[in-house]
């Protein structure tokens, strides 16, 4: 029996695209590949700038107050074989709601479609509860499982992180993988601000320049 998700991944893709289009206007070029990463974010092809790939994940409902982020090991293995500048960032929700997002938004008196926009208000806007990790950070959490898998075969998913809201909605108990050390996540809006300043050491964005000779 298929498990339910808190918010469809396609919705996260569209909301992310709307966010980038609004933030960068015509400066950003977006591409939705037919396979692999969900969104390929590039500057206009004739200009120097940055190229970034995003792999968007949602949370799977694992019980009352429980949200799991699941990662396909074959997909992660494939990503980690790429040159560093072509590896994607993983982006996913850090939920502060129980169960399905539509039901939670309705109970809070808000249409779920408004959550894709800043006008939805603090805490409800998707950009307030999305976080980002590099593929390398995801691998470090799942290194044992990935080493055992060791190939690009798809279909085997493992839990990257669990959010347990059974005791506190606004301070969930967070468990990474098989109790791995917690990675340093970056909030969605902070991520783009840092990327504009060339990002952090080890980040996999590709810097594209123009060679000028004289």
């Amino acid at each position: 029996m298929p498990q339910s998700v808190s918010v469809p991944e396609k919705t996260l893709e569209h909301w992310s695209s709307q966010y980038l289009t609004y933030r960068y206007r015509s400066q950003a070029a977006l591409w939705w590949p037919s396979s692999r990463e969900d969104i390929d974010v590039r500057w206009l092809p004739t200009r120097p700038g940055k190229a970034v790939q995003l792999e968007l994940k949602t949370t799977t409902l694992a019980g009352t107050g429980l949200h799991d982020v699941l990662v396909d090991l074959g997909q992660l293995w494939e990503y980690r074989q790429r040159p560093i500048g072509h590896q994607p960032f993983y982006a996913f929700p850090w939920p502060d709601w129980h169960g399905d997002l539509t039901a939670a938004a309705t109970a809070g008196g808000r249409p779920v479609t408004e959550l894709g926009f800043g006008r939805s208000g603090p805490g409800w806007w998707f950009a307030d509860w999305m976080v980002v990790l590099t593929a390398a950070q995801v691998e470090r959490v799942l290194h044992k499982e990935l080493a055992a898998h060791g190939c690009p075969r798809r279909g085997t998913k493992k839990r990257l992180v669990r959010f347990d809201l059974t005791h506190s909605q606004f301070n969930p108990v967070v468990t990474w993988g098989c109790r791995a050390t917690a990675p340093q996540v970056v909030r969605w809006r902070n991520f783009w601000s840092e990327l504009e300043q060339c990002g952090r050491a080890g980040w996999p964005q590709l810097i594209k320049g123009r060679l000028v000779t004289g």
Side-chain angles (χ1 to χ4, degrees):
M1 182 176 179
Q3 294 176 296
S4 298
V5 298
S6 63
V7 52
E9 284 188 5
K10 284 296 182 184
T11 297
L12 293 179
E13 289 179 29
H14 287 297
W15 285 353
S16 298
S17 300
Q18 288 173 335
Y19 176 90
L20 292 170
T21 300
Y22 181 80
R23 181 164 183 149
Y24 296 111
R25 306 300 197 277
S26 62
Q27 288 183 298
L30 305 182
W31 180 255
W32 293 263
S34 57
S35 60
R36 301 186 298 275
E37 65 274 354
D38 294 312
I39 304 176
D40 191 355
V41 184
R42 297 178 184 270
W43 296 97
L44 293 176
T46 57
R47 300 179 183 177
K50 301 179 180 70
V52 181
Q53 292 78 43
L54 297 176
E55 177 63 40
L56 291 155
K57 297 298 182 186
T58 187
T59 61
T60 298
L61 304 179
T64 303
L66 301 177
H67 293 254
D68 289 345
V69 176
L70 304 177
V71 170
D72 188 294
L73 293 179
Q75 184 185 56
L76 176 60
W77 186 92
E78 179 188 339
Y79 287 156
R80 289 295 285 152
Q81 307 313 304
R82 296 181 182 181
I84 185 67
H86 295 274
Q87 295 181 20
F89 292 89
Y90 279 73
F92 53 89
W94 190 285
D96 60 1
W97 66 87
H98 284 258
D100 177 76
L101 182 60
T102 300
T106 301
R110 297 175 184 273
V112 71
T113 50
E114 287 294 292
L115 307 193
F117 304 96
R119 61 176 179 257
S120 59
W124 284 103
W125 187 21
F126 95 102
D128 288 335
W129 42 256
M130 289 289 286
V131 298
V132 180
L133 291 177
T134 66
Q137 288 177 296
V138 174
E139 180 190 27
R140 283 194 287 272
V141 173
L142 297 173
H143 68 279
K144 293 181 180 178
E145 295 87 346
L146 190 63
H149 187 75
C151 70
R153 186 184 69 253
R154 303 292 183 94
T156 300
K157 295 183 178 182
K158 293 297 181 179
R159 188 176 72 211
L160 172 66
V161 60
R162 166 167 286 184
F163 301 97
D164 184 347
L165 292 86
T166 54
H167 300 294
S168 174
Q169 179 173 346
F170 300 107
N171 188 28
V173 175
V174 181
T175 305
W176 292 93
C178 294
R179 302 195 178 279
T181 301
Q184 184 181 17
V185 300
V186 180
R187 294 287 177 177
W188 176 263
R189 288 191 287 170
N190 293 342
F191 169 73
W192 297 104
S193 296
E194 291 199 35
L195 193 64
E196 291 161 11
Q197 302 299 318
C198 292
R200 300 182 183 181
W203 275 16
Q205 75 273 10
L206 182 64
I207 309 298
K208 301 195 300 179
R210 179 181 297 148
L211 178 64
V212 178
T213 60

